[in-house]
Amino acid sequence: ENKADMIIHGTAQRGTIHYKAILDEDDVREIRRLRSTTMMSYSQIAKKFGVSKGCIEGVIFRWKSVL
């Protein structure tokens, strides 16, 4: 219930407002562009942005709020 309230009120530490966020919304768009147009691997993209492969997978599959 508390987590749901945080999401409703916009106080959840998600995406770029998280205190440990490395990527911003422009990075997310660029990652998606690279994946769709160049077919770079997740590992190659991760190395380019200085994050883990799992982070890139999360950007592609879970960051639905960024268009």
Side-chain angles (χ1 to χ4, degrees), residues 2-66:
N2 192 27
K3 287 186 180 187
D5 287 341
M6 290 171 63
I7 292 169
I8 291 168
H9 298 296
T11 56
Q13 294 292 308
R14 303 175 76 178
T16 58
I17 63 169
H18 191 279
Y19 73 99
K20 286 189 175 181
I22 296 172
L23 303 172
D24 61 23
E25 290 183 1
D26 290 334
D27 293 333
V28 170
R29 290 182 191 97
E30 178 65 9
I31 288 165
R32 288 182 178 156
R33 187 194 67 76
L34 288 171
R35 183 66 182 156
S36 66
T37 61
T38 67
M39 290 309 292
M40 288 175 69
S41 70
Y42 294 145
S43 297
Q44 291 170 321
I45 296 171
K47 190 172 186 177
K48 177 180 172 74
F49 285 89
V51 297
S52 70
K53 177 183 160 202
C55 180
I56 298 301
E57 291 170 346
V59 163
I60 292 172
F61 294 109
R62 288 189 294 276
W63 282 49
K64 304 295 184 193
S65 63
V66 179

